[in-house]
Amino acid sequence: MGGNRARPDDVSMTMRTAPGGAGGAGAAAGPAGHALDPRRIQLLSCCFVAFLGYPAAELASLGLPGPAAIAAAAGLAAFGALFVWATWHNVPRPHTLATPYALAAMVLTAVAVQLVLRETWLLTASFYLATLAILALPPRGWPAALAGLLAGHVALAVLVLHRPLATAALTGAGITLYGAALAALYGTARLAARIRATRAELARSAILAERLRIARDLHDMLGRRLTEVVLRSELSARIVAGEPDRAAAEMREVGRSAREILAEVRATVSGYREIDLDSELATAREITRAAAVDLTVHLPDGPPPPAVAALAAWVVREGVTNTLRHSMARTCVVTIAGPGADSGYTVTVADDGPALGGRPEIDPGAGLTGLRERLAAAGGGLSAEADAEWFTLRARIPERAA
């Protein structure tokens, strides 16, 4: 129905999310609202352990005795293995604390290794633990986990490394802010996933509702009349030999009924295709409110002529549908201006989808193509523009629209 800015699947586009934990989210939803492949994240976690090279270099520079160096190296290896194990098992089921013993073992290992290593290990281990806390724990446990991590970081820095309290608190605050940023990123991704799923469902429901309405109207309108045509035709076929005059009369009735059916079909289709501007704006307000999109409408001082209002209603329907189905917009602005110097009206539907991750490419689909043809038949025109901030659908409608 809408013009595609990308090429998503039709209204059946779905979220490919793994069963989620707290909050019902799937596995690691990305900014575009689609779930990332859990296996890819699991493999990336194996690469993430490369950052343990920094504390390993610190260990090599300390020149510790053989047993102490071996014990510390074994602790680093165990910490890395536990991190991979915990990530591997928590990614498919995030925020469900799938590996509590592995997390506890990582904390104990980090404290034990800290007795041998210095500042680099404290920072590295804190970052690893903050990452796993956001991944593994349910959201309600994040504040307590980050507070505990801050307290542990400050305690080890002061008691083991003998750092000033202010310095330890400053580095600990940095770790806490990192964890809070991860939590905010996850919350944003989860919200985007829900919005996209809601938009897809709203679009699908709207199309299904229209199909059901048309099917019901056509069934109610055609059923009885077509039955009448069939019966009269069969009667005419049976009596044409013995009563030709009556058969001719029956066939004339068949023709009359067929013409009436044709008129009723046209009226039904016309009723479906003709829409009212005020009703369309009201529907746009409702559907954008349900999809968490901020809709702003600017109207001219006086009502446009009926023909202009009808075309403007089609532009609003297509533009708002396009916004809901093919972007991640949070804001949509509908403006109807006129009449201008050329005695025409301008209707624009703009959204901030490109600024929030939408694709700026313009790929007209059947909806925009049909709208362009409708406007051209009335003497108007249609254009679509996209930049880094806004996608704008602009229609020009002459005041004396055909």
Side-chain angles (χ1 to χ4, degrees):
M1 184 163 56
N4 298 345
R5 265 172 263 175
R7 284 187 179 271
D9 297 336
D10 200 5
V11 292
S12 59
M13 64 178 179
T14 56
M15 297 298 299
R16 295 174 296 172
T17 53
H34 295 282
L36 298 176
D37 183 5
R39 183 55 58 87
R40 183 177 301 176
I41 301 178
Q42 290 170 330
L43 294 176
L44 286 176
S45 69
C46 298
C47 301
F48 195 57
V49 298
F51 289 101
L52 292 178
Y54 292 104
E58 181 184 60
L59 173 61
S61 66
L62 293 177
L64 298 175
I70 293 174
L76 289 177
F79 188 89
L82 288 170
F83 177 80
V84 172
W85 172 270
T87 305
W88 198 274
H89 287 81
N90 278 283
V91 164
R93 295 177 296 162
H95 318 299
T96 60
L97 194 58
T99 56
Y101 298 111
L103 290 176
M106 286 185 67
V107 173
L108 295 177
T109 303
V111 173
V113 175
Q114 188 61 64
L115 299 177
V116 178
L117 297 184
R118 311 306 297 167
E119 186 79 22
T120 301
W121 169 246
L122 180 59
L123 291 173
T124 304
S126 298
F127 276 109
Y128 275 99
L129 292 175
T131 302
L132 275 180
I134 300 302
L135 172 63
L137 298 178
R140 63 178 178 274
W142 291 347
L146 293 179
L149 183 62
L150 173 62
H153 181 95
V154 173
L156 289 174
V158 173
L159 300 178
V160 177
L161 302 180
H162 306 293
R163 296 291 186 266
L165 179 60
T167 302
L170 184 61
T171 56
I175 301 297
T176 305
L177 289 176
Y178 164 76
L182 284 182
L185 179 62
Y186 166 75
T188 301
R190 182 174 62 175
L191 179 60
R194 288 179 174 178
I195 290 175
R196 290 185 65 88
T198 301
R199 288 174 176 173
E201 183 61 26
L202 287 172
R204 188 178 69 87
S205 298
I207 291 177
L208 289 177
E210 290 294 333
R211 289 175 177 172
L212 290 175
R213 189 193 68 81
I214 295 173
R216 182 180 63 251
D217 291 349
L218 290 178
H219 176 272
D220 295 342
M221 184 270 296
L222 291 177
R224 183 182 63 83
R225 303 308 302 271
L226 290 179
T227 300
E228 176 187 352
V229 169
V230 170
L231 292 176
R232 288 184 178 277
S233 299
E234 292 177 346
L235 176 61
S236 300
R238 287 197 304 268
I239 66 175
V240 65
E243 302 179 68
D245 293 339
R246 182 183 175 188
E250 292 294 340
M251 289 307 299
R252 284 193 294 271
E253 288 297 319
V254 168
R256 182 186 60 79
S257 296
R259 287 190 292 273
E260 291 179 356
I261 291 173
L262 180 59
E264 291 178 4
V265 169
R266 287 172 174 169
T268 301
V269 174
S270 176
Y272 166 64
R273 296 178 65 86
E274 295 297 330
I275 56 178
D276 177 72
L277 178 59
D278 293 336
S279 300
E280 196 58 32
L281 289 173
T283 302
R285 290 188 177 96
E286 294 178 2
I287 196 170
T288 51
R289 186 183 303 113
V293 175
D294 184 16
L295 177 66
T296 303
V297 178
H298 302 286
L299 298 176
D301 294 334
V308 174
L311 289 171
W314 280 106
V315 176
V316 171
R317 170 182 283 192
E318 186 59 31
V320 173
T321 302
N322 190 52
T323 294
L324 293 176
R325 293 185 57 197
H326 305 301
S327 77
M328 291 181 61
R330 299 288 181 84
T331 302
C332 181
V333 180
V334 175
T335 303
I336 302 176
D342 58 350
S343 297
Y345 285 77
T346 301
V347 182
T348 59
V349 181
D351 65 72
D352 61 348
L356 300 176
R359 300 181 181 179
E361 302 88 48
I362 302 174
D363 183 12
L368 290 183
T369 300
L371 183 59
R372 182 176 286 108
E373 293 172 353
R374 184 186 299 274
L375 290 169
L382 180 71
S383 64
E385 305 168 357
D387 56 27
E389 299 294 331
W390 291 89
F391 178 90
T392 304
L393 187 67
R394 179 176 289 103
R396 180 182 55 82
I397 305 175
E399 186 173 14
R400 298 181 179 274

